Amino acid sequence: MKPEQNIVAAVLIDGDQILAGKRQAHRVGGGYYEFPGGKIEPGETPRQALKREIKEELNDEVILGSQIPVPADYEYSYAKIHIQFFCGHLLTNNLKHVAHTDLRWGTPDQLAQLNWLPASRPVIKWLQQQDLRKITFDE
């Protein structure tokens, strides 16, 4: 029986650009692109976990907006995951590389050409249909 993991990820938006991170080769999902985030720890809300993960992975502070309405359950070879994606905007700009070998900004159409983890692909499709400049951040 595969372990189950509750995951959160931030779609970091700056104008019409979003941030993509390429996972380090030695990590699970290595070489694929994803949105920054990680596991929800016991006692954390998804938003608390995401703010913590952005601080740990990028050494940045983030303000969050709404949750993105995409499928949330995926089965990988290593686990069954339930993932929630939230829109976010960086309040700082350190972009420390902890979990990623490459961080790049681009429009959803530009970044759609990258090799994304399967759970992130519906998010890219959703973003391609949005006016990113109209997305708001509320906390």
Side-chain angles (χ1 to χ4, degrees), residues 61-96:
E61 303 292 329
V62 65
I63 185 170
L64 298 174
S66 61
Q67 185 173 344
I68 296 174
V70 295
D73 296 312
Y74 289 87
E75 188 167 338
Y76 290 104
S77 61
Y78 59 91
K80 292 179 182 178
I81 67 165
H82 177 77
I83 187 165
Q84 298 173 64
F85 295 91
F86 291 87
C87 294
H89 180 74
L90 291 177
L91 298 173
T92 57
N93 192 26
N94 297 312
L95 295 180
K96 180 177 159 186

Side-chain angles (χ1 to χ4, degrees), residues 102-115:
D102 179 43
L103 293 168
R104 66 173 67 180
W105 291 95
T107 66
D109 288 339
Q110 291 167 336
L111 297 181
Q113 309 307 313
L114 300 176
N115 193 16

Side-chain angles (χ1 to χ4, degrees), residues 24-46:
Q24 294 173 345
H26 69 277
R27 297 175 64 115
V28 171
Y32 285 90
Y33 281 85
E34 67 173 358
F35 296 104
K39 295 177 190 168
I40 301 172
E41 300 294 338
E44 286 183 320
T45 68

Side-chain angles (χ1 to χ4, degrees), residues 4-9 27 37-54 56-57 82 84:
E4 294 191 23
Q5 298 177 348
N6 290 311
I7 308 290
V8 287
R27 297 175 64 115
K39 295 177 190 168
I40 301 172
E41 300 294 338
E44 286 183 320
T45 68
R47 289 174 180 267
Q48 289 169 334
L50 193 49
K51 288 181 178 187
R52 175 187 51 76
E53 286 286 347
I54 296 302
E56 289 174 5
E57 286 190 9
H82 177 77
Q84 298 173 64

